[in-house]
Amino acid sequence: MFSMRYWPFISFLFLSIVVQAQKDVTPALEIIKTCIENKDVNNPLETLNTFQYDSYENLKIAGNPEAITGSGYKKTELRRTLLKTGVFLSEKTSDIVNDQSQGFKELITAAFMPGFETPVYPIYNINFQSRNLYQDTYVVFDQHYINPISNNGLNSYNYETIGDTLIENRKINIIGFAPIETSISTLSGTLYIDQETKAIAKAHYNIYKDLRVETKHDFVYDSLHHLWYCSYSELFIKKTNNIKEIELFGGRFEVGTRKQKDIDSETDELYLIMKRYQKNFKTNRKVNFGQKGVSIEIPETSIDKPLNYWDTYRNEEPFTTQELANFMQLDSIVMAEKVTRKLEVIEKFKVGYYPVGFFDIDLKYLIKFNEYEAFRIGVGGTTNDKFSEKWRVSGYGAFGTKDKVFKHNITLGYRISEENNTWISAYKTDDINEFAGARFLTDARVYSLFEPRLINIPTFYLYKEYGVSLQQRLFPSVISEFSLSRKRISQTTNYVFAPDGNPFINYVLAEATIAARWSPKSEFMKTPKGYQETTKGYPILSGQVTKGIQGLLDSDFNYLKFSGKASYTINRINGSKTAFLLEGHYASGDVPLSHLFHAYPNAPTKDEVLQRFSVAGRNSFETMYFNEFFSDRIATLQMRHNFAPFHITSWLNPELVITSRYAIGDFNDIGDHLNIDFKRLNKGYTESGFELNKLIYGFGISATYRYGAYHLPQFSDNLALKFTFYLEI
């Protein structure tokens, strides 16, 4: 034991050590804190009413194509191009505008991608490198990293004063930073901070992990506004001996080393270099922002510039004679290697199509399974622009191996406006549909190798429908659809609808439906081919109103239905996310049960837990039995929290998800619906569980438990064990 008389000496010694450590750390930390406090004042995008400049950017990928590993579409187009040319090039010039009232806008004035008749527009969706160094995150290849100039950065990095220097005759502090704990979301590097304004005057960021990534930002000083403007940026990526996927052209490419003895180590290199030059800075002037709600715009005039247009810009970024010769060969090489065709396949396969000439085969119709039809075998698709830019013909045919009945749809559409993607269509359908399976007309198309709930659904109705629809993008963030249809409904069960004691087994419905989907926080790109969502923002809001019109086209019932949905997702820098989905439906009038609502149940009505083992849905109640509840007014709330993936090996990165769901509803006039037993949902239904996804080939497992007002006496009846399937295309 230490004697108490030594305690003052020990305390003094400890304090001296702490003070000495603070002498080394405090100056750098204080400079960074002051930089953070002043970042709104030093950020031209925040402190100026308007800010505008010119930008030239080029992307070059060069090196040994054998360094691009992987199978299938992940390597084909880029690897084959590099195999012949040794280089890939993309260039663009832009007018960059920021307006405090309207936001940020990039108008691409010229776009050039040798080898392609028109540029591959999705490449312009990629955020290769942050333009703004004052945001909370720094972006490389759409991957977000904790910015050292942020409050989160203070808890994530150690800072050290390296020295002083002069940039444009101004005194500059040089601050080095490194992560306290290495993670997938941290950087290292050097910051050059103006001693007077505490603004960034230069920056270098590094990532030395699976890939060697180096970035650079140079600034020029505006003495009138006392601001530093970024004049030059550079991104350099070099492969290492590990495998790492990068995304280009909407497809994934694995950058790494193929272990082949015949490849010389000195030539086994792959480089990706992007350089961006910015000049002609204009501040607080009237600007022509263009269309509001569009962050990137590529007009038709930008893609047909003469080759000598680029000479001025290439003088700033010199190319070797060999590189220029290679660029000139790209047209014939891309054509010979059918690169454009491969890119077309990638883009359409991601949403479930496979192009064959003028026709895109719809892969989701090939094979399905449900209790009524057993195996449902079919084929479907739609014509594409090679058939006509104004007209399209789409449809499908399907045959059930159990019911032995052929189903079909045929749709003829005419495009009124390319810019707003306005289509008017007429259609005819003869098929089956799920009882009470409400859907939103404007829901985005979701492609999956199979539809999870479809396997379990036991109750369908038959319908023959014809109608017309009008689809239009009212604004970049708003899509809408109006439809007018007539349906003749027949039953596959003994269900009878008897409003006011008047029984109907079969009936006719005439409906007018108007729907809209609004993404107020999303960012969009406008190209000659229309609008593309570049960044999905939340919330996403959907609304729909349906009017059943009695007497129109021999319709039997008069009713009104309202539906609404709101989704919100919080994405975090470590890869975790939390998602909320709120959905509600309301109906009044004489509505048959086939067209009312349920909470998307997904539990087969079987006795044993293992007998109910099946596929979990995406937004379904896993412990709720089919036909257990129906409602004429219902609200559901679902919450999902995805933890960051567990990086076990390069091929095993499982994801743990915690889920919780709640539903409440009610039903008037249950006695009008005969030969079917169901309950009201007025007490509130709750279930919670977990999923462990992507264990192997996209498959995982889940467990969910029912509790609360509708808890069942036997434990096993409240439990749902299922496998999950999440496959990224």
Side-chain angles (χ1 to χ4, degrees), residues 410-430:
I410 183 71
T411 302
L412 177 64
Y414 177 77
R415 182 159 61 186
I416 300 173
S417 169
E418 182 177 16
E419 178 176 338
N420 294 322
N421 199 31
T422 305
W423 287 87
I424 186 168
S425 304
Y427 59 90
K428 178 182 180 296
T429 306
D430 187 347

Side-chain angles (χ1 to χ4, degrees), residues 219-271:
F219 290 73
V220 295
Y221 186 68
D222 177 3
S223 58
L224 178 63
H225 297 91
H226 305 290
L227 293 170
W228 289 88
Y229 303 145
C230 185
S231 58
Y232 173 75
S233 300
E234 181 176 309
L235 169 66
F236 174 83
I237 298 178
K238 179 182 177 181
K239 64 100 183 129
T240 64
N241 291 330
N242 295 322
I243 299 298
K244 178 66 177 178
E245 287 187 345
I246 60 176
E247 187 161 325
L248 196 60
F249 306 129
R252 287 183 176 82
F253 300 92
E254 292 178 351
V255 181
T257 299
R258 298 186 68 195
K259 296 181 179 179
Q260 296 182 359
K261 295 180 180 179
D262 58 338
I263 297 178
D264 190 285
S265 60
E266 293 183 0
T267 62
D268 187 24
E269 302 287 356
L270 184 77
Y271 297 93

Side-chain angles (χ1 to χ4, degrees), residues 79-138:
R79 182 169 179 261
R80 287 176 186 247
T81 301
L82 288 175
L83 188 64
K84 296 290 185 179
T85 66
V87 67
F88 167 81
L89 170 70
S90 172
E91 294 178 281
K92 68 175 179 178
T93 60
S94 306
D95 288 338
I96 308 297
V97 176
N98 190 76
D99 186 291
Q100 289 289 357
S101 61
Q102 300 189 77
F104 178 88
K105 178 72 164 283
E106 178 183 9
L107 175 63
I108 296 179
T109 53
F112 181 48
M113 203 173 287
F116 301 94
E117 184 177 346
T118 58
V120 183
Y121 295 116
I123 197 172
Y124 300 121
N125 293 348
I126 300 173
N127 189 351
F128 285 97
Q129 183 183 26
S130 286
R131 290 181 183 270
N132 183 4
L133 301 193
Y134 291 102
Q135 294 178 318
D136 288 339
T137 61
Y138 182 82

Side-chain angles (χ1 to χ4, degrees), residues 23-33 159-162 174-176:
K23 285 182 181 179
D24 296 332
V25 176
T26 299
L29 187 59
E30 287 303 316
I31 291 170
I32 294 298
K33 286 182 177 179
Y159 303 89
E160 180 182 358
T161 301
I162 296 176
I174 307 175
I175 307 295

